[in-house]
Amino acid sequence: MAPPKSKKSAAVKKLQTSAANGGRAPGGRPRKATLRSLYSPAEVHEIFRRFSVQRPEPKGELDYVNAFTLLVAVVLSAQATDAGVNKATKALFAAADTPARMLALGEAKVGDYIRTIGLWRNKAKNVIALSKALIDDHAGQVPEERDELVKLPGVGRKTANVVLNVAFGQHTMAVDTHIFRIGNRIGLAPGKTPEQVEQGLLKVIPAEFMRHAHHWLILHGRYVCKARKPDCPACVIADICKSKEKTTGIPAPLVPIAPLEETFPAEA
């Protein structure tokens, strides 16, 4: 009688079978790849510690007056630059900084204010529709729950996360093109979709840094880890970074960067 197989030999055989099948599970089904951060908790902590020294109080680049105008600005910023949105909303927010005032302007008038922004017709329609929804369903107030925000016209998960983080201080992660690129390029939170990257970042970033992590990553992606060519000599985490694209392992001097120009409420 043959001796019983040990657990060890069975495990080895399983690995050998998997390798022979090209990483496929029994039956020919491809195994799901596990997307994990390339960094240890200590390395992630150091990355964000440095970002916090570099930009102690990071600010977004969209101008706004209150939670409502922030919501509108983020909706308008889809497929548009922050600078372009700010030019258009300066006069708009001076005329309408509440849902009631925006609704009173009407779709045509809102369109006149934002005509220089891409997709302005559809965006004007959404701004009026979300203003009406806020009045009808939320007493004119911007809700502090993601599930309620994403029900508003023109508001997706990313927009909701920006508003929750910036206006209400919640520990959310709004994954735009910059954050999606960084999550994958340096292996901080690899993912095939923005939501996968979002969940990966929420899992690895220490709670003490979550309040500003969204802005730190966006600004790092916009000015240092750029899409076409990362500026590695200007990177304060070059020695920690595990990207195959990096050109140096010497970090830039860790000194505070002058904050972006503060934005002030428009005159009502």
Side-chain angles (χ1 to χ4, degrees):
M1 184 173 67
K5 294 181 179 180
S6 68
K7 291 183 179 180
K8 183 176 180 180
S9 63
V12 170
K13 185 175 181 180
K14 185 176 180 180
L15 289 173
Q16 290 172 339
T17 302
S18 176
N21 290 336
R24 293 175 177 272
R29 298 188 307 274
R31 296 182 183 277
K32 285 187 177 180
T34 302
L35 301 174
R36 296 179 179 176
S37 176
L38 300 181
Y39 302 82
S40 68
E43 288 173 325
V44 176
H45 188 281
E46 179 61 13
I47 287 171
F48 285 92
R49 185 196 70 80
R50 294 186 192 181
F51 285 161
S52 71
V53 171
Q54 190 178 42
R55 293 184 172 93
E57 293 292 332
K59 304 291 183 182
E61 296 182 322
L62 282 174
D63 295 341
Y64 63 94
V65 181
N66 50 34
F68 169 68
T69 54
L70 172 64
L71 174 62
V72 171
V74 180
V75 168
L76 296 178
S77 70
Q79 300 181 49
T81 66
D82 290 354
V85 171
N86 290 340
K87 288 180 181 179
T89 57
K90 183 176 181 180
L92 174 63
F93 293 160
D97 60 355
T98 67
R101 290 176 180 175
M102 193 69 73
L103 190 60
L105 280 182
E107 185 178 326
K109 189 64 176 177
V110 170
D112 288 340
Y113 280 109
I114 66 171
R115 194 177 293 268
T116 56
I117 300 176
L119 306 174
W120 64 270
R121 288 185 178 86
N122 191 55
K123 289 178 179 179
K125 181 178 180 180
N126 282 334
V127 167
I128 291 301
L130 73 83
S131 297
K132 186 175 187 306
L134 288 174
I135 293 170
D136 293 346
D137 302 331
H138 302 284
Q141 301 299 311
V142 176
E144 298 184 35
E145 299 82 28
R146 184 189 293 110
D147 289 345
E148 294 301 319
L149 281 169
V150 297
K151 293 177 184 177
L152 298 171
V155 178
R157 186 179 182 89
K158 184 188 76 172
T159 295
N161 281 338
V162 171
V163 173
L164 293 174
N165 179 261
V166 177
F168 302 117
Q170 295 186 24
H171 289 184
T172 59
M173 178 58 62
V175 178
D176 69 348
T177 56
H178 297 297
I179 295 180
F180 185 78
R181 179 176 68 254
I182 290 175
N184 284 286
R185 174 185 274 170
I186 74 173
L188 182 60
K192 295 181 179 179
T193 66
E195 191 163 347
Q196 284 182 342
V197 172
E198 175 189 335
Q199 294 305 317
L201 290 171
L202 290 174
K203 183 178 179 181
V204 301
I205 298 174
E208 65 186 284
F209 298 121
M210 274 304 306
R211 178 66 179 88
H212 296 307
H214 159 248
H215 280 132
W216 283 324
L217 290 172
I218 286 178
L219 294 171
H220 187 66
R222 183 172 292 167
Y223 297 112
V224 180
C225 201
K226 303 172 187 177
R228 292 187 179 181
K229 185 179 180 182
D231 187 3
C232 297
C235 180
V236 296
I237 61 168
D239 55 325
I240 306 173
C241 177
K242 301 180 190 295
S243 173
K244 295 179 180 179
E245 297 179 48
K246 79 175 184 179
T247 58
T248 181
I250 302 174
L254 185 58
V255 295
I257 294 176
L260 296 170
E261 184 178 345
E262 294 285 349
T263 58
F264 298 95
E267 294 294 327

